[in-house]
């Protein structure tokens, strides 16, 4: 049976705490090495990725044994509750092995309708962004603050993020560049930290393609709790990954969607 000693939100915090403890000893370590998961291209995984997911799975085994788990490193474990914990132990491993603090731990709790609770955690900076139907908050070196997305409605005033300059296919990149050409500022390479900044009211848009479910479910819950919108490039659900448009509000979302929907 599922333990009622802890709420789902408390369990999510326990997961983030366990991941922090497993990851931080390896960050910026002189002997850190990475394996490549691809025969062509580069998709790194480290001991920290695997240790963090193992630690989180142990928490769930103890406290939510009936829930399913979908993790990047160890795949899917079935459950009987109709709920699934979606885990990305280090989103942004390329950044992690480069020493940048833009990677993060992604945690989501989802049901048939998608994610309804999420955490984006940055262990090195000590920032944690949390979203659920009842909570939209962050904690960090400056203390606690609520999460609230921006009210920017004009693309000409918007700040846009994406991780990779190539975005996706040639057609997807062309659609992205239509948006990029109209915004005030485009920045690259932030991984999941871009979604956290959107929820915190620092940026207006994040546009990406080729994502997996574990890349986006945690950020979806956090951004939605903060007042934002996350869809695919046609305006439909994005929680299974693929093309993702995250926006601070309905107006800026509609403006960007108009330029992306042909991809």
């Amino acid at each position: 049976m599922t333990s009622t000693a802890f709420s789902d939100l408390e369990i999510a915090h326990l997961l983030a705490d366990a991941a922090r403890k497993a990851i931080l000893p390896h960050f910026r370590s002189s002997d850190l090495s990475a394996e490549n998961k691809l025969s062509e291209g580069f998709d790194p995984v480290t001991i920290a990725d695997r240790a963090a997911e193992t630690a989180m799975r142990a928490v769930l085994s103890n406290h939510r044994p009936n829930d399913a788990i979908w993790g990047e490193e160890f795949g899917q474990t079935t459950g009987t509750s109709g709920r699934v914990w979606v885990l990305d132990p280090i989103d942004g491993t390329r950044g992690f092995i480069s020493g940048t603090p833009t990677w993060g731990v992604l945690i989501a709790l989802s049901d048939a309708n998608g994610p309804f609770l999420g955490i984006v955690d940055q262990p090195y900076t000590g920032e944690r962004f949390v979203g659920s139907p009842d909570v939209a908050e962050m904690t960090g070196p400056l203390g606690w603050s609520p999460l609230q997305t921006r009210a920017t409605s004009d693309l000409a005033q918007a700040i846009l993020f994406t991780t990779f300059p190539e975005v996706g296919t040639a057609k997807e990149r062309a659609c992205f560049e239509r948006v990029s050409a109209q915004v005030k500022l485009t920045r690259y390479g932030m991984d999941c930290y871009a979604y956290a900044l959107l929820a915190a009211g620092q940026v207006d848009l994040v546009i990406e393609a080729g994502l997996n479910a574990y890349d986006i479910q945690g950020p979806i819950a956090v951004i939605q709790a903060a007042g934002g919108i996350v869809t695919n490039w046609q305006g439909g659900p994005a929680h299974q990954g693929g093309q993702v448009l995250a926006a601070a509000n309905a107006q800026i979302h509609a403006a960007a969607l108009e330029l992306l929907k042909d991809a």
Side-chain angles (χ1 to χ4, degrees), residues 159-189:
I159 299 174
L160 165 66
F161 273 115
T162 196
T163 297
F164 303 111
E166 62 270 21
V167 182
T169 66
K171 185 176 182 181
E172 287 169 333
R173 180 174 183 176
C175 290
F176 170 84
E177 288 178 347
R178 288 207 296 263
V179 182
S180 180
Q182 294 198 28
V183 302
K184 178 172 66 176
L185 176 64
T186 301
R187 300 287 290 169
Y188 299 94

Side-chain angles (χ1 to χ4, degrees), residues 25-259:
H26 302 286
F27 184 52
R28 296 182 179 171
S29 171
S30 60
D31 60 354
L32 179 67
S33 61
E35 299 173 30
N36 186 7
K37 294 191 283 187
L38 298 179
S39 58
E40 297 182 8
F42 184 57
D43 185 13
V45 61
T46 72
I47 186 174
D49 297 78
R50 292 173 176 145
E53 186 168 324
T54 296
M56 289 191 286
R57 284 175 177 269
V59 171
L60 292 173
S61 177
N62 287 332
H63 297 289
R64 292 293 189 269
N66 293 338
D67 291 350
I69 304 172
W70 186 357
E72 178 178 10
E73 304 307 332
F74 299 113
Q76 299 187 46
T77 303
T78 60
T80 58
S81 67
R83 299 157 19 123
V84 56
W85 292 87
V86 183
L87 310 174
D88 191 343
I90 299 179
D91 180 84
T93 304
R94 294 172 181 83
F96 183 83
I97 65 175
S98 303
T100 69
T102 55
W103 51 277
V105 180
L106 302 184
I107 297 162
L109 178 57
S110 300
D111 58 19
N113 297 315
F116 57 88
L117 184 158
I119 285 181
V120 178
D121 190 70
Q122 212 310 309
Y124 183 71
T125 63
E127 294 173 292
R128 183 169 297 175
F129 305 81
V130 183
S132 77
D134 303 312
V135 174
E137 64 183 18
M138 70 166 290
T139 53
L142 299 180
W144 177 94
S145 63
L147 292 177
Q148 178 63 57
T149 56
R150 294 183 359 155
T152 308
S153 58
D154 183 356
L155 276 179
Q157 299 302 314
I159 299 174
L160 165 66
F161 273 115
T162 196
T163 297
F164 303 111
E166 62 270 21
V167 182
T169 66
K171 185 176 182 181
E172 287 169 333
R173 180 174 183 176
C175 290
F176 170 84
E177 288 178 347
R178 288 207 296 263
V179 182
S180 180
Q182 294 198 28
V183 302
K184 178 172 66 176
L185 176 64
T186 301
R187 300 287 290 169
Y188 299 94
M190 298 296 286
D191 294 299
C192 64
Y193 200 64
Y195 296 101
L197 292 175
L198 193 151
Q202 298 297 308
V203 306
D204 304 288
L205 295 165
V206 184
I207 299 173
E208 300 195 286
L211 299 189
N212 293 293
Y214 45 74
D215 296 319
I216 193 59
Q217 291 208 15
I220 286 175
V222 174
I223 289 168
Q224 289 179 341
I229 299 172
V230 185
T231 70
N232 64 22
W233 292 11
Q234 290 72 46
H239 58 270
Q240 293 304 318
Q243 299 170 337
V244 170
L245 165 60
N249 57 70
Q251 292 77 20
I252 205 77
H253 177 268
L257 188 67
E258 185 65 26
L259 300 171

Side-chain angles (χ1 to χ4, degrees), residues 1-26:
M1 297 293 291
T2 297
S3 169
T4 57
F6 295 97
S7 70
D8 290 333
L9 182 58
E10 289 170 328
I11 294 297
H13 280 291
L14 289 176
L15 294 173
D17 291 343
R20 277 191 184 190
K21 185 176 180 180
I23 291 169
L24 281 176
H26 302 286

